[in-house]
Amino acid sequence: MAVLVPAILSVSGCGADGETTEDDARIGSAVQAQTTPICVTIQRGVFGTVEDAQIASEQPAKNYGTKTLANVGAVGAGVRQSLFRFDLGAIPATATVTSAKLTLTAYQSLPLGSSATLRAHRILSPWTEGTVTWGLFNASFSPAVDASAINDRPSPATATFDLTALAQAWVSGASANHGVLLEQPETTTTNISTSETATASHQPALQVCYLTPDQVCTPDFATWSTTRNHATTLSSDKRTAISTTQHNWVQSDVCKSSGKWYVETTKVADGSPLVYWTMGVASASATSFVYGFQANDNTTIYYFAGGVYAQTTSGNEATLTSSAGTLSLNQVLGIALDMDNRQITFRTPTATSGPYALPGSASAYCIHSGYGHYNSHRLNAGQDAFYYPVPAGFTPGLYGTPDAICK
């Protein structure tokens, strides 16, 4: 009988109560994607549903579903084959399978000292352990060999089959999961322990390791825009902006109308003769910026020389705080943009300042830098590990599609 036993899986990487710890925040990139796959072992009595059975050409109407040993190869004048199926329903259909290893306990029975290659084939139609026979099965398997293992041991030993490609097709639904059939040249015989054997460690097992979509997504991280740009030269990767006048400005090429997003910027070169720079957000629809930071639609809010400022409807700037913490060359400014609540928070090495309400009524805001005075500044929208802890509830990084699968 096939038995389903639930298992408890744990995933590491967060602090207590699911809170992101400082160490956690520093080691990841934009989506904090885990690089370690999730692995599950499907084995009767451990996790999942397993079916296995032998079929025999000399007994075409007989079911062998309760045997503790299944034969593969030649037995007398007949031919034996063995069927194995592991239920992969617990693995998300959108997962990327990184490995799938079928492990069997097998040994050579006849002739003694011989060697044989066990060959695994994809089964093409449904079957059940308690009813399958040679006649009912009717050779319903693909002629292509999907995996193989050499068995040359006179005593029980492990035979391992790489079923990664098959498991991926089964998980995604590209192929129906009816399991695999094992066969070998009909001049030798191999005995294989089934799920009915009393020794649990000898029972068939399939270990599948996989990544979920949020682990393997490759979002299009924001860079500086080549079009929302005035008097600014970009590096080849478009992440470093180099001002070429006193009153330059540049915006990110990804702007947001919803969600909570966290980015960081670093001034990587001082200008001359002045070293001032502003960094914050501005409307995606603004068409001009006086001095590089005063938007024609009154939507800018920015960090500047230790303070935080917002543009007023009169076109002037209003001081929100003068104690946001100063930044030196190569120090990092963190920007937490909360479009769900229309707020922004700034982080420097010595202070966290905010949240502040976004000025204006723009529907979408971009990361904005202006008033550069020949400075150079680099944008980290998730391409690199973040310097500061990512605020709770914020998406690490700024990117466009595929938002849904990368969160």
Side-chain angles (χ1 to χ4, degrees), residues 358-369:
L358 295 176
S361 58
S363 60
Y365 284 75
C366 318
I367 305 300
H368 181 91
S369 175

Side-chain angles (χ1 to χ4, degrees), residues 271-291:
S272 175
L274 300 174
V275 296
Y276 301 132
W277 63 306
T278 66
M279 186 67 64
V281 297
S283 164
S285 58
T287 56
S288 64
F289 296 87
V290 178
Y291 303 121

